[in-house]
Amino acid sequence: CGFQLRRPPELAWKRIFLSGFTEDSTLADELRRQLRASPGVTLADTPAEADLIVESLQDSSEHVVAATTSTSQISEMTLRARLRFRVRTAAGRELIAPTELAQTRDMSYSESSALAKQHEAALLFRSMHVDLAMQVLRRLAALGPA
Amino acid sequence: ERADSAQPLAFDAGRMVLDGKRKVRVLSGGVEISRGTLLLKAAQVELKETPQGGQFAIATAADGQFVTFRQKREGVDETVEGQSRRIEYDSVSETVRFIGQAQVRVLRAGAPADQVSGQTIVYDHGRDVFEVQGGLPASTQTPTPGAASGRVRGVLTPRPAGAASRPAGADAATEGAR
Amino acid sequence: QEAACRPAAPAWVREGGLQLPWVSPNTAEPSADAAAGGEDPILVEADRLIGQTGQSLRAEGRATLRRGLLSLQADRIEYRQDDDRVHALGTVRLQREDSHFLGTELDLQTEHQEGYFLSPRFYLGRTQAGGRAERVDFIGRNRMVVSRASYSSCDLVDGETPAWELSTRRVRLDFDANEGLAEGAVLRFQGVPILALPVMSFPVTDARKSGWLPPMISTSSTTGLGVSAPYYWNIAPEQDMTLTPTLMSKRGAALETEYRYLQPGWSGEANLFALPNDLQTGQQRWALRSEQRGAFAAAGGLRYDWSVLRVSDGDYWKDGLRGAESLTPRLLSSRGRLEQRRRLRATPLGEVEQQLYARVQRWQLLQDSGSSTRIMAPYQRAPQAGARWSDLGGGPLQWSLQTEVNQFVHADADQIQGSRAHLLGQIALPLGDAGWRLTPRLSLNSAAYQTDRPMSDGRRRAHRTIPGFSVDSAWTLERETAAFGRALVQTLEPRLLYALTPWRDQSTLPDFDSAALDFNATTVFSDNIFSGIDRVSDANQVTAGLTTRYLDRSSGAELARFGIAQRYLLRDQRITADGVPLSNRFSDLLLQASIGVVPDWTLDTSMQFNPDTDRLVRTVTSARWSPGPLRTLYASHRLKRGSSEQLALGWQWPLADLGRPLTGLLGARVAPAAASAGDCRGRVYGVGALDYSLRDRRLSGAIVGFEYDAGCWIGRVVARRQSTSAQNASTQLMLQLELVGLSRLSAGSNPLSILKDNIPGYQLLRDPRGATADNSGAP
């Protein structure tokens, strides 16, 4: 039915710099991990050394209450990981206009197991960040050469 | 300058033709009319005696050229320069009439300070007063480059504070201008 | 698509735009080079010019004069060069940067711009407001005094009273100091004086300025009628404070102070809501919040932050008092963190990421004194300290090692407490490339406990070590296809995970921070069915999953995704959430879909299907439509078979037609021409969020609001119903009046923060930053 194994994407741009991410952003960690795993790609330490700059405009992990009990206890939460990013060359030419990617996961909640739910939320956010990073890589792979 | 009024009108030209019937002298071939610090250059000038004993000159320029006028101002290191397609000068009333794409500049210490432009400019160099008119709507006259039909323009450079702008004791003249 | 609201300048400003086509300093017009020296030249144009050379110039007939950013138009303009004064008569129109004046007579010194203007109408572009005055005296470029003026951002139509108007004896406007000082000011709304002040200051630019924020009126079943008038105090560039005195009919007088500070190395906020004497309970009620974050640059990236939230008593959440807003109203978190992340370069294992951290986590659980059910409080970490090392990727091996020590304390004395030291290690060897991946992984969870009282088996010290092994294999197949009229790439991603974890008895050990994970498409692929450290489930199972995605071939954007997953047990699972060993081999089937193909629409759904009972155990479905700025509709349905079924709606939508009659009623004249795109005069916006429980047919939460934008003022009405127990609920109604151009509205002020936190996609009508909304791209 026409399916064949995905060939490793040859990223046309070799040296990539991530800008605008906070130091403790797990999304940035995942993006760096996946960029390092793509063949031939290196992470530049400064914008000057890079051919391509992936700039984060908004990298937020939000909790929104989805359902409450009759006594104002929280029974369900929606976790939303949102990345608004832009890609431009070191010279400043914009290759990908500002785009917003979002992922949501639902999680039940109970005040009594707040510590455990902190761990679970971290697990769900890590899974969302893996997905968002993969989507960013797919978009970088779709970019033609210079 | 005021002293110019006492000066005779001198002219220098390539050719001069006396038209006895109209009692008009026609000078051509690069004409220069001077009177003290006043200097007028044109391609062709018609000179006529006026009943009051003065001269009336009509200067016209060659195609695409301008008739030019220059005169030093009384008591200040400033000269007035002007140009237009055609100039009419009456030595008795001391008025210079610039007609057609007229422009008059005041040069202060050699640099252009003020400037007015329009269809016709009437400059009374005795009383140092000028009037700029938009004249007929654009259709009949070639409009001054860039100006809306019938509009006139002026550019003034604000005087640095305290700079003398008029000769001492010439207040009487300005009142007349209002 | 309509842009967000932009206020329009009054008609007399728009029509009277000064066009001086030839006057552009940068063109090489002869008139331009006539200017000697650097001074701005004075450019004049008219039907006729009469002048005394070098002294004066009189322009007549639609005369215009321009110098720098000052431009003037009148029937007659006279300029005297020696004292650089301009005198203009007839319909005199003056524009100074973005302020416009229209009057009968003007006298002005053009260099220092000093002079006067008689009976002008004026419009200040910076505050988008203006009015009429008897006289304006210009004092320098950026200062002026307006005498006997009426000032408003509404269109001043002769013979009609504007929606609101500030009439003053004198107004001093200083754009440099960003201050407008009105003397003898009377503020009228719909002709009714609502405020009279001998002296009143208001901002003239959008920079931060001390001054009164819009007053807010609210009524609520728990606090009665409330009026609050926030005052913003701009203490210094790096700190400011908002003081909100509030009078509540059922509770008494309260003061809320919000203090914000920003320093190079650290910044933070501190809020205190103090109600000294609560009329109903007679006690003192307060809520304190303090948040600060900072970094010690010298100590190599050492960062810290704390966030403290405490309230005076357990019923605080029920009585609708302010200051304790929290994601979980019944459980208030207070925590402090000290962390350092560093990259160690020269180590035997290559580059290593090291993270050292020390944290404290305390909780305040608000028990409901009125009801019998008591909520079990979570454990508190007092303190927690640890270190984590991990590889930086790129190498053949993926590994991480974490050691941590915790002291667990519980508010309830008869709960077991104690300390735990644990070590979490894992090492993996990923093989294959983008198309096919095989990842064997070894993990280790070892913990040692010391408790303050004997555990169920009598011991006070215990330790256990649980290894784990898993093999994760994933394929990625692709083919080019086309659907929905677009060139797409469809992927097929089968995944197989085998996990083997030996059984270790943990029944006697305390459980401080572990609980069963929800069963969903993400957690089905984790080896342990518990979150946290204390519990590790035994496993000999295979989890299979299949995901297919549709990607746009040119941009790589994901347009749709469908997924299915299920787990098969090779051996019974002895450690489970409810303690009963799990024996049925096949787990529930997990289905998941999200579609973003249709522009502006996003659809998400996830379902859990039980093959034995042939019924859906759990479903979550949500849809969102946001076609343009200030337009969004959101709906979601959540079913947990046997326990809850919840419907949620959220919306923000302009109710264009409703606005017209209301406008006629309030007398804000809306010229038909003004109702163009971007001009929102006379438009009402419906905003709201509803939470309906289908099982007990009851609205568990509701927010309904209307925002009326009359162009120069915005009226906001928000009603909120929050259930506080099975039977009763607290209702709140808030009214707010925002006078555009007079008071700066901070987005954080109630009730705006309620709308922003509960309505997905809500936008402010007048965004202080003026950011226009842009739509989210495909998910």
Side-chain angles (χ1 to χ4, degrees), chain C residues 180-313:
Chain C
L181 202 65
E183 290 152 14
V186 177
L187 180 60
R188 283 188 182 72
F189 181 66
Q190 303 297 343
V192 175
I194 59 172
L195 194 65
L197 291 170
V199 177
M200 172 180 170
S201 91
F202 57 93
V204 283
T205 63
D206 49 22
R208 292 185 338 199
K209 172 73 191 62
S210 302
W212 290 98
L213 297 177
M216 201 191 74
I217 304 149
S218 64
T219 73
S220 109
S221 55
T222 55
T223 59
L225 182 67
V227 179
S228 57
Y231 181 81
Y232 175 81
W233 176 21
N234 181 16
I235 307 167
E238 75 286 347
Q239 48 180 327
D240 61 24
M241 184 183 271
T242 306
L243 299 143
T244 313
T246 307
L247 278 174
M248 293 174 279
S249 60
K250 286 187 179 172
R251 300 285 171 179
L255 175 67
E256 181 176 15
T257 41
E258 287 166 50
Y259 172 60
R260 288 168 292 271
Y261 49 94
L262 184 68
Q263 295 296 343
W266 42 281
S267 66
E269 303 90 33
N271 303 4
L272 174 69
F273 178 89
L275 174 61
N277 175 18
D278 183 342
L279 301 180
Q280 284 205 340
T281 67
Q283 297 154 344
Q284 195 194 35
R285 321 281 306 269
W286 51 267
L288 172 70
R289 177 200 303 268
S290 157
E291 285 176 11
Q292 176 161 330
R293 58 211 74 82
F296 302 103
L302 187 64
R303 312 162 60 83
Y304 71 90
D305 69 81
W306 77 65
S307 151
V308 172
L309 178 57
R310 308 292 291 186
V311 291
S312 54
D313 55 279

Side-chain angles (χ1 to χ4, degrees), chain C residues 135 317 358 400:
Chain C
R135 178 188 167 100
W317 60 281
S400 73

Side-chain angles (χ1 to χ4, degrees), chain A residues 8-73:
Chain A
E10 271 309 310
L11 250 58
W13 307 81
K14 292 303 176 214
R15 295 194 309 259
I16 294 177
F17 176 73
L18 301 185
S19 93
F21 287 96
T22 59
E23 200 188 301
D24 53 5
S25 152
T26 50
L27 174 55
D29 292 343
E30 189 50 38
L31 207 48
R32 274 188 280 270
R33 178 175 293 279
Q34 289 192 21
L35 282 171
R36 285 200 186 95
S38 346
V41 172
T42 61
L43 280 165
D45 290 336
T46 64
E49 294 160 15
D51 325 327
L52 201 68
I53 294 168
V54 177
E55 182 187 357
S56 149
L57 304 168
Q58 181 199 3
D59 162 16
S60 63
S61 310
E62 297 149 9
H63 296 251
V64 178
V65 170
T68 55
T69 69
S70 59
T71 57
S72 279
Q73 286 174 267

